[in-house]
Amino acid sequence: MLSAAFRRGTLGFRTAVLRQAHRNASNVVALRGGQVANHDRVFRADVIVENGKIQAVGENLEVPVGAREIDCTGKYVMPGGIDPHTHLDMPFMGDVTCDDFFTGHCAALAGGTTLHVDFALPINHDLEEGLKVWKEKAKIAAMDYCFHMAVTGWNDKVCNLARLIHRCR
């Protein structure tokens, strides 16, 4: 689909096509000829990824025009792992864990983990304040993450948890 500027006549056809090709090229990656390792088998295949999401897996896939191609011959192509419970930059018994969101993510990525679920602590039993603090800590993140929290005390704010959950979406 060509841009609105081209449809309005304020952008030349060649420029519109080049811009669209650049947008397509920057968000599509084709992993070619690797050994795809799934939960049930290993097989030779191509993987097309667009905007960070797998769009197709199969043999000899047609590569979209402008996609970045990576030759994976002789290499394994695996989905990333999920670490469901981490403690990054977390205070505990007068100390703080040694890894923050950057160093912990670098180590995780080196081992094939691509998503982690960090344990975010409420601040003085305040879930919202705890979430705010952990979001600030995560600004140096190097991969996908999310949080889980423990209810450490019951108060009116906890009763309004639905509002907090809705805001986190």
Side-chain angles (χ1 to χ4, degrees), residues 1-3 6 11-26 65-66:
M1 176 178 252
L2 293 177
S3 71
F6 173 73
L11 191 65
F13 179 77
R14 177 176 158 72
T15 304
V17 169
L18 289 173
R19 282 189 183 172
Q20 186 63 40
H22 176 72
R23 278 193 290 276
N24 290 344
S26 64
V65 174

Side-chain angles (χ1 to χ4, degrees), residues 79-162:
I82 298 171
D83 189 338
H85 186 90
T86 62
H87 298 275
L88 298 178
D89 199 7
M90 188 182 96
F92 183 71
M93 298 181 70
D95 213 344
V96 178
T97 56
C98 65
D99 280 316
D100 60 22
F101 277 77
F102 182 75
T103 61
H105 283 181
C106 289
L109 287 165
T113 298
T114 58
L115 171 88
H116 93 270
V117 183
D118 201 59
F119 186 68
L121 295 175
I123 305 296
N124 296 323
H125 307 293
D126 187 329
L127 298 172
E128 286 183 282
E129 187 61 27
L131 181 60
K132 189 165 100 177
V133 167
W134 252 258
K135 282 183 172 183
E136 186 66 29
K137 291 178 182 204
K139 283 184 175 179
I140 59 172
M143 64 186 223
D144 292 333
Y145 65 89
C146 58
F147 303 113
H148 65 96
M149 298 181 89
V151 176
T152 58
W154 194 259
N155 55 41
D156 290 340
K157 285 183 116 178
V158 175
C159 290
N160 294 320
L161 187 59

Side-chain angles (χ1 to χ4, degrees), residues 18-74:
L18 289 173
R19 282 189 183 172
Q20 186 63 40
H22 176 72
R23 278 193 290 276
N24 290 344
S26 64
N27 61 7
V28 179
V29 177
L31 306 172
R32 304 292 298 216
Q35 293 295 317
V36 173
N38 275 343
H39 69 287
D40 60 344
R41 64 189 176 120
V42 176
F43 58 101
R44 186 182 179 287
D46 300 332
V47 179
I48 306 294
V49 179
E50 184 173 357
N51 295 322
K53 296 189 189 280
I54 295 172
Q55 298 300 317
V57 177
E59 292 185 32
N60 303 312
L61 294 177
E62 186 175 324
V63 177
V65 174
R68 191 175 102 192
E69 291 189 55
I70 299 172
D71 182 8
C72 295
T73 304

